[in-house]
Each structure stands twice: as structure tokens, then as C-alpha cells.
């Protein structure tokens, strides 16, 4: 049987065009499906990898070991004029540092409970980093003596005879109002005969039974027993604190609201954050829950983030911000009185250099220069997962000073909140952790997002090309003398040049347009026959995508 090569060629052309159109439609459908299904798949993966579960190796290891490098930078306020202060003059300070310490964190005693919670203790250690510091731990600075000036305030309401006895005790141990010692000793503790004496005869008065130092309690210690939610039953609760040291509320403050333990432990937050979200967390060092508010969005090394910062109301007093009334007795706005959780010592915390505090505090002390860039507390977080990318928590330790009658060491000190040190704890994701995080939680979702629109775009383009090719193929088939084409439901008006009247007007199923047609199965000859005449086939009902006009052909009728 003889093979019609023209028909085979046409078959391949039509098949190819149809396959292209089918592929285009499939690509469009796939893209549309991804638009709706893609985000659901990504969210499902985020939930699975955010739940605290040892089976989630990456997220569990990140939570347990905290592989992100953390550093604590400490700045001392060196007192320039200690003698003048005792005479009632305004204090003048000079910032020294930073003295930088690498902080290591390790969770231990991890215990999972049936109610979808997990308990642990977090241990922290600090190691001095000379290369990152301005100065050394052997640097000598002068700061207020907390043992003398702090104890004087604590004893001011006792009978005068006891205050005089306390003053005599200070003199016996050569303790003065201001202390000049190396940074390392002030940080981690120094030997003091007065401390030994007080621990022996007044046990419980001091927070330590050994060396006395500003951070003596911090190094090689834990932050207490935390119990947090794993998120297995509700991902919105993951990392939230259920209890701390067995407590669901505190007893330091004056109102139930201020005694609430809110938010997380301050390292990770629940996923799917919005611009209306806040960052609440409980800080054992501040003895209360803190809350940061949304500030702006941005990027950290290519990873999208939301930036949350400490609002001005964080340490505002009850007069300026009524919900904080429970943290009083208060002084100027911007100071948090933590004496209730610090053995009643007159200690206040604030933001560094009294940033966001009452401006009057700057009038009492010379040498302070608050700056948003240097002194603001912020956390930059990946909103989809709740993982912090860049963190800077900045706090200042202050001591309330004034003259106490009967205690000569206080001299004629004017009433003032005296800054002693400020410190910042910083950390950011970097290296392999950042790469893994970006690839799994940023690049892959982005590829899926672009793919869904890419499929739609490519599909539409290919579909358009296929339609155009199909149109051209039809025109070519219709005009070639050796090709047969199939058309459905067209009314053809065929006019003979000689007779000039309509030969037929019927619904045509198939028209063979060969140059020499011996058998035209669908034509009815008219009474006036013609031979090899130029005929006109007019197509008044041709669809829009076909080229309008007249096609001229030679027929042998």
C-alpha cells in the first residue's frame, strides 16, 4: 500500500501542535495548583519542623545547643570625681570598655511530659575575648561600692544606733563609698572580709555566700527550671513558658498583671508572625516578663525579617503608663525598681545611658549620651518560623544613692540614680546554620513560589504559540493543492466564473481541494457545467482566527 508522505507529514505537525497545546494547558493547571497548594505545603513543613521533638534533628539541636554565637559586652561607668560626689557635687562618669565575653549555652535535664511540655535547665558560661575587647580584665575602674552605699539605703529606716554600728563596721573593714578594682574582680567577684562577716552574722542579707561581684551569680549557673510547650497539640503555643521553677505566676510585684509569666523563654517564638504580633518573653534576670513591639521589616543576609524593639513604655513609671503601676514604687520614668527581687537592695535597671527615660535623669549625671543606634534593644526575627536572626538586648544597672544619717561613709551625697555598668547580649545566625536555614526556609519556598507563576507563564506562552501554529497549519492545508483538510460546520458558497451563480449551499463535512479532482463527493453539479475554471470559495462564517478574504483555486468540474 502506497504511503502518502504529505498526509504523514501533516499528521506529525498536527500531533506536535496538539501535544504542545496539551503541555501548555497542563503547565497552566500545575501552576494554578501550586498557587493554592504550595503555601499549604510550606506551612505544613514549617509546623513539622518547628515542633519541639528530638525527631526534628535540625530544629531540636538548634533549641538544645543554641549553635549561634552569643557575646556579652560590658561597659563600666568609671567615676571621675568620687570625692566631689561625697561633698554633694554632681557625679561625672566616663564609659570604659567594651569588655567582651563569649557566652555558651547548654540545656540539660531535658524531660518531655505527657501534656506536650518539656522541662529543662539552661546553663551559661562566659569566656573573656581580648581580641573583641577595648582593654583587659586587669583594667582598674572606680564604681559605687554596693556593699556600703546599697546597705546604707537598706538600713536607713532602722534605729540610728544600728546605723552608727553599721558605719563602724565599714570602717573596721576599710570599706569606702567608692570601690576601685580591676574589671575582672568587679565582674566575677573579689574576696571581702566584710562579705565574710555579713554572711556569718547576718546570713541571707547578701545574694552570695562567696566572692562578691556584679556577675558572680551568672557564670557557670543556670536560669532556673523552665517548662515550656512543645507545640505538638497547638503550634501557636510552641516555646511558650508554662512555668518557671514550678511557678505559673510571680510574687515580686503588686498586681496580678505584672506578676504574669508571659511569652517564651526569650530564644525562639511561635511561627507565622504578622506585623500585629508582639515578642513577649520572661527574663529571670529582670524578674519579670518583657514585651517588644513590631518596628519594621527588612532583610538579614538575604533572609526576610521583622524587627521588634523595646517600646518607650517598657520601663515607664505608673504615672506615664498605668499598667506599670504594679512595678512601683517608682521613680522617674525609664527606671525599673528590681529591689523586690534583689534582696531589697536599691537597684534599678534601665536602658543604657537612660535611653527612652525621663530626660531629667541626664541632668543628674554628667557624661551620658543616649543613642538609639547604640542603646536600643531589638530582636530581628524570621516571621515565618519565629527564629531570631539578629539580637541585641541592652540593659543598664543603676544604684540609688543618697545621704543616710548616722552612716558617715555616705557623706553629703545628693540623691541620684547612679549608673554603674551597662551590658548588651548579642547574637546572630551565621555560617553553616545560616546556610541551612536560608536554603530550607527561604530559597526552597521562594523557588516553589516562582515556579508556580513560571508554570503559568510558560504554559500561556506555549498555548499561544500552539494556537498560532495551528492557525498557520490550517491556512497552509487549505491553500495547498495536494493536501486534504477537514473542516466542520462551514457554509461554503462556490461560484463558477462562467455561470456566476451559487453551485451549492450546504453544511460541508469534507472538501477535497485537489488541483485535478475526479470525484467531488460533496458537490452537486449545476445545470451549467464548467471545465477548469477559476472558482471563488467565499467563507463568510470563518472564525476570527482565520485570515479573511477569498481563496482562488482551479477546479476541473
Amino acid at each position: 500500500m502506497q504511503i502518502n508522505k504529505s498526509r504523514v507529514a501533516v499528521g506529525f505537525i498536527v500531533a506536535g501542535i496538539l501535544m504542545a497545546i496539551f503541555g501548555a494547558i497542563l503547565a497552566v493547571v500545575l501552576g494554578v495548583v501550586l498557587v493554592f497548594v504550595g503555601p499549604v505545603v510550606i506551612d505544613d513543613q514549617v509546623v513539622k519542623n518547628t515542633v519541639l521533638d528530638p525527631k526534628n534533628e535540625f530544629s531540636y539541636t538548634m533549641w538544645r545547643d543554641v549553635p549561634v554565637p552569643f557575646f556579652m559586652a560590658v561597659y563600666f561607668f568609671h567615676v571621675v570625681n568620687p570625692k566631689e560626689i561625697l561633698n554633694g557635687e554632681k557625679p561625672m562618669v566616663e564609659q570604659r570598655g567594651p569588655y567582651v565575653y563569649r557566652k555558651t549555652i547548654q540545656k540539660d535535664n531535658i524531660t518531655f511530659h505527657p501534656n506536650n511540655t518539656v522541662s529543662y535547665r539552661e546553663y551559661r558560661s562566659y569566656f573573656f575575648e581580648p581580641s573583641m575587647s577595648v582593654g583587659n580584665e586587669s583594667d582598674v575602674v572606680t564604681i559605687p561600692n554596693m556593699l556600703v552605699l546599697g546597705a546604707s539605703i537598706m538600713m536607713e529606716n532602722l534605729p540610728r544606733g544600728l546605723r552608727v554600728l553599721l558605719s563602724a563596721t565599714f570602717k573596721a573593714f576599710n570599706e569606702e563609698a567608692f570601690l576601685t578594682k580591676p574589671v575582672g574582680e568587679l565582674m566575677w567577684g573579689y574576696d571581702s572580709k566584710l562579705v565574710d562577716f555579713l554572711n556569718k552574722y547576718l546570713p541571707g542579707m547578701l545574694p552570695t555566700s562567696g566572692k562578691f561581684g556584679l556577675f558572680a551569680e551568672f557564670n557557670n549557673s543556670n536560669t532556673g527550671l523552665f517548662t515550656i510547650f512543645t507545640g505538638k497539640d497547638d503550634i501557636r503555643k510552641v516555646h511558650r513558658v508554662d512555668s518557671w521553677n514550678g511557678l505559673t505566676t510571680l510574687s515580686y510585684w503588686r498586681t496580678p498583671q505584672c506578676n504574669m509569666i508571659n511569652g517564651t523563654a526569650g530564644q525562639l517564638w511561635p511561627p507565622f508572625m504578622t506585623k500585629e504580633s508582639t515578642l513577649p518573653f520572661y527574663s529571670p534576670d529582670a524578674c519579670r516578663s518583657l514585651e517588644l513591639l513590631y518596628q519594621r521589616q527588612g532583610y538579614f543576609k538575604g533572609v526576610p525579617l521583622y524587627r521588634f524593639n523595646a517600646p518607650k513604655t517598657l520601663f515607664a513609671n505608673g504615672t506615664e503608663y498605668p499598667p506599670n503601676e504594679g512595678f512601683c514604687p517608682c521613680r522617674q520614668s525609664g527606671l525599673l525598681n528590681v529591689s523586690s527581687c534583689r534582696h531589697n537592695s536599691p537597684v534599678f535597671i534601665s536602658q543604657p545611658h537612660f535611653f527612652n527615660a525621663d530626660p531629667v535623669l541626664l541632668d543628674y549625671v554628667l557624661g551620658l549620651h543616649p543613642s538609639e543606634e547604640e542603646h536600643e534593644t531589638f530582636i530581628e526575627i524570621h516571621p515565618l518560623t519565629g527564629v531570631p536572626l539578629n539580637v541585641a538586648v541592652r540593659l543598664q544597672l543603676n544604684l540609688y544613692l543618697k545621704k543616710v544619717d548616722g552612716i558617715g561613709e555616705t557623706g553629703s551625697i545628693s540623691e541620684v540614680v547612679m549608673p554603674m555598668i551597662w551590658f548588651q547580649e548579642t547574637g546572630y545566625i551565621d555560617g553553616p546554620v545560616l546556610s541551612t536555614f536560608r536554603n530550607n526556609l527561604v530559597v526552597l519556598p521562594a523557588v516553589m513560589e516562582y515556579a508556580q507563576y513560571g508554570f503559568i507563564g510558560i504554559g500561556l506562552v506555549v498555548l499561544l504559540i500552539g494556537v498560532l501554529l495551528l492557525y498557520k497549519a490550517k491556512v497552509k492545508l487549505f491553500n495547498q493543492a495536494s493536501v486534504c483538510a477537514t473542516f466542520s460546520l462551514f457554509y461554503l458558497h462556490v461560484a463558477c466564473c462562467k455561470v456566476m451563480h451559487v453551485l451549492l449551499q450546504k453544511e460541508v463535512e469534507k472538501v477535497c481541494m485537489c488541483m485535478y479532482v475526479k470525484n467531488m463527493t460533496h458537490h452537486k453539479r449545476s445545470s451549467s457545467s464548467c471545465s477548469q475554471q477559476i472558482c471563488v470559495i467565499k467563507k463568510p462564517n470563518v472564525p476570527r482566527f482565520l485570515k479573511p478574504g477569498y481563496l482562488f483555486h482551479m477546479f476541473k468540474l
Side-chain angles (χ1 to χ4, degrees):
M1 183 171 112
Q2 187 175 4
I3 298 176
N4 191 321
K5 295 183 179 180
S6 297
R7 290 176 182 264
V8 173
V10 170
F12 276 113
I13 292 172
V14 173
I17 293 173
L18 291 177
M19 288 181 66
I21 294 175
F22 177 76
I25 295 173
L26 183 63
V28 173
V29 171
L30 181 59
V32 172
V33 169
L34 282 177
V35 168
F36 296 99
V37 177
V40 175
V41 173
I42 293 173
D43 289 352
D44 182 63
Q45 290 301 311
V46 169
V47 170
K48 288 181 179 179
N49 288 283
T50 304
V51 172
L52 277 180
D53 190 334
K55 296 178 182 178
N56 296 334
E57 184 177 354
F58 177 73
S59 57
Y60 178 74
T61 302
M62 177 178 285
W63 169 79
R64 183 191 63 193
D65 300 331
V66 190
V68 177
F70 272 90
F71 297 93
M72 181 176 71
V74 181
Y75 298 82
F76 280 82
F77 290 106
H78 170 69
V79 179
V80 177
N81 59 339
K83 292 182 179 179
E84 289 77 4
I85 295 173
L86 291 174
N87 293 328
E89 295 186 20
K90 187 179 294 187
M92 179 182 294
V93 297
E94 183 181 87
Q95 181 175 288
R96 299 282 181 86
Y99 301 95
V100 181
Y101 298 84
R102 178 169 48 87
K103 180 181 179 181
T104 62
I105 301 172
Q106 178 69 47
K107 291 180 176 65
D108 202 359
N109 302 324
I110 300 174
T111 305
F112 285 87
H113 305 294
N115 63 341
N116 296 316
T117 62
V118 57
S119 299
Y120 66 91
R121 290 185 182 273
E122 184 173 272
Y123 292 84
R124 53 191 177 181
S125 301
Y126 297 88
F127 304 90
F128 185 62
E129 291 286 347
S131 62
M132 302 176 67
S133 304
V134 178
N136 202 284
E137 284 190 307
S138 59
D139 294 350
V140 176
V141 296
T142 299
I143 63 172
N145 189 341
M146 290 187 66
L147 289 174
V148 173
L149 298 178
S152 298
I153 299 294
M154 295 167 65
M155 303 284 283
E156 69 171 332
N157 294 324
L158 294 179
R160 191 175 190 280
L162 291 178
R163 297 199 299 272
V164 172
L165 180 60
L166 179 63
S167 179
T169 304
F170 290 152
K171 289 181 174 62
F173 291 101
N174 296 318
E175 295 286 349
E176 298 180 350
F178 292 90
L179 190 66
T180 302
K181 284 191 174 293
V183 167
E185 293 186 18
L186 293 175
M187 283 288 297
W188 311 115
Y190 56 90
D191 293 318
S192 170
K193 293 181 179 179
L194 176 60
V195 171
D196 296 336
F197 174 81
L198 293 176
N199 283 328
K200 182 177 180 179
Y201 295 102
L202 296 173
M205 180 179 178
L206 298 177
T208 179
S209 58
K211 294 183 176 182
F212 184 83
L214 298 174
F215 286 85
E217 293 180 291
F218 283 61
N219 205 11
N220 300 316
S221 65
N222 69 79
T223 55
L225 181 64
F226 274 93
T227 301
I228 65 174
F229 290 97
T230 63
K232 281 188 176 181
D233 58 335
D234 186 353
I235 197 61
R236 295 172 298 178
K237 296 166 61 177
V238 67
H239 302 299
R240 274 179 45 192
V241 178
D242 180 44
S243 66
W244 175 73
N245 284 340
L247 303 173
T248 55
T249 59
L250 305 172
S251 58
Y252 302 131
W253 313 109
R254 298 168 54 189
T255 63
Q257 180 180 354
C258 292
N259 277 318
M260 292 176 65
I261 298 177
N262 296 323
T264 71
Q267 293 176 351
L268 296 166
W269 279 264
F272 311 122
M273 289 187 170
T274 67
K275 295 178 181 179
E276 287 70 40
S277 301
T278 62
L279 288 191
F281 62 97
Y282 174 67
S283 171
D285 299 324
C287 308
R288 57 166 286 191
S289 296
L290 305 173
E291 187 174 48
L292 306 189
L293 303 182
Y294 174 83
Q295 183 185 27
R296 60 175 173 81
Q297 61 185 18
Y299 287 88
F300 178 78
K301 298 184 178 181
V303 181
L305 61 83
Y306 284 174
R307 181 184 175 109
F308 295 79
N309 68 345
K312 192 174 182 179
T313 56
L314 184 64
F315 296 139
N317 59 25
T319 302
E320 185 173 314
Y321 187 62
N324 282 353
E325 183 65 35
F327 296 120
C328 293
C330 300
R331 297 192 62 79
Q332 292 88 351
S333 195
L335 299 172
L336 175 66
N337 187 347
V338 292
S339 59
S340 58
C341 69
R342 289 290 181 264
H343 302 272
N344 291 320
S345 59
V347 175
F348 291 79
I349 61 175
S350 67
Q351 296 191 67
H353 287 248
F354 296 131
F355 174 69
N356 272 342
D358 191 329
V360 72
L361 293 168
L362 299 175
D363 295 334
Y364 295 149
V365 181
L366 301 176
L368 300 179
H369 307 284
S371 163
E372 178 178 348
E373 182 179 355
E374 297 180 3
H375 304 137
E376 179 188 48
T377 288
F378 69 85
I379 296 178
E380 295 178 338
I381 198 165
H382 184 234
L384 180 64
T385 60
V387 175
L389 305 173
N390 188 25
V391 177
V393 177
R394 295 156 171 162
L395 294 173
Q396 180 171 297
L397 185 65
N398 310 280
L399 188 65
Y400 174 55
L401 309 180
K402 73 173 184 177
K403 176 183 177 179
V404 177
D405 182 49
I407 302 179
E409 284 72 20
T410 61
S412 299
I413 295 177
S414 299
E415 190 172 345
V416 63
V417 177
M418 185 77 173
M420 299 178 65
I421 64 168
W422 76 270
F423 61 94
Q424 65 174 358
E425 290 202 353
T426 58
Y428 57 89
I429 288 184
D430 201 5
V433 176
L434 176 63
S435 299
T436 303
F437 183 87
R438 183 169 51 217
N439 292 338
N440 292 342
L441 298 173
V442 178
V443 176
L444 185 58
V447 168
M448 291 185 66
E449 182 178 0
Y450 291 136
Q452 63 195 21
Y453 298 112
F455 277 126
I456 294 175
I458 293 172
L460 292 175
V461 170
V462 174
L463 183 62
L464 179 61
I465 294 173
V467 170
L468 291 175
L469 290 175
L470 183 60
Y471 160 68
K472 290 183 178 180
K474 284 187 175 183
V475 171
K476 185 175 181 180
L477 292 175
F478 200 76
N479 285 300
Q480 282 217 344
S482 62
V483 181
C484 291
T486 301
F487 301 87
S488 297
L489 304 178
F490 289 153
Y491 285 94
L492 301 183
H493 299 268
V494 182
C496 180
C497 298
K498 189 173 183 179
V499 180
M500 300 301 293
H501 70 276
V502 177
L503 290 176
L504 61 90
Q505 183 179 358
K506 64 176 294 184
E507 187 169 344
V508 180
E509 187 67 24
K510 181 177 182 181
V511 176
C512 291
M513 298 178 298
C514 298
M515 184 66 72
Y516 300 99
V517 182
K518 298 248 176 133
N519 180 21
M520 298 186 67
T521 58
H522 294 285
H523 288 69
K524 291 183 179 180
R525 294 180 182 272
S526 64
S527 57
S528 302
S529 61
C530 304
S531 176
Q532 286 194 357
Q533 301 183 47
I534 298 176
C535 295
V536 181
I537 301 177
K538 185 178 180 182
K539 306 176 295 302
N541 295 325
V542 173
R544 291 182 182 179
F545 65 85
L546 292 179
K547 183 177 180 180
Y550 296 92
L551 298 177
F552 296 87
H553 296 275
M554 189 81 68
F555 287 92
K556 182 176 181 180
L557 301 176

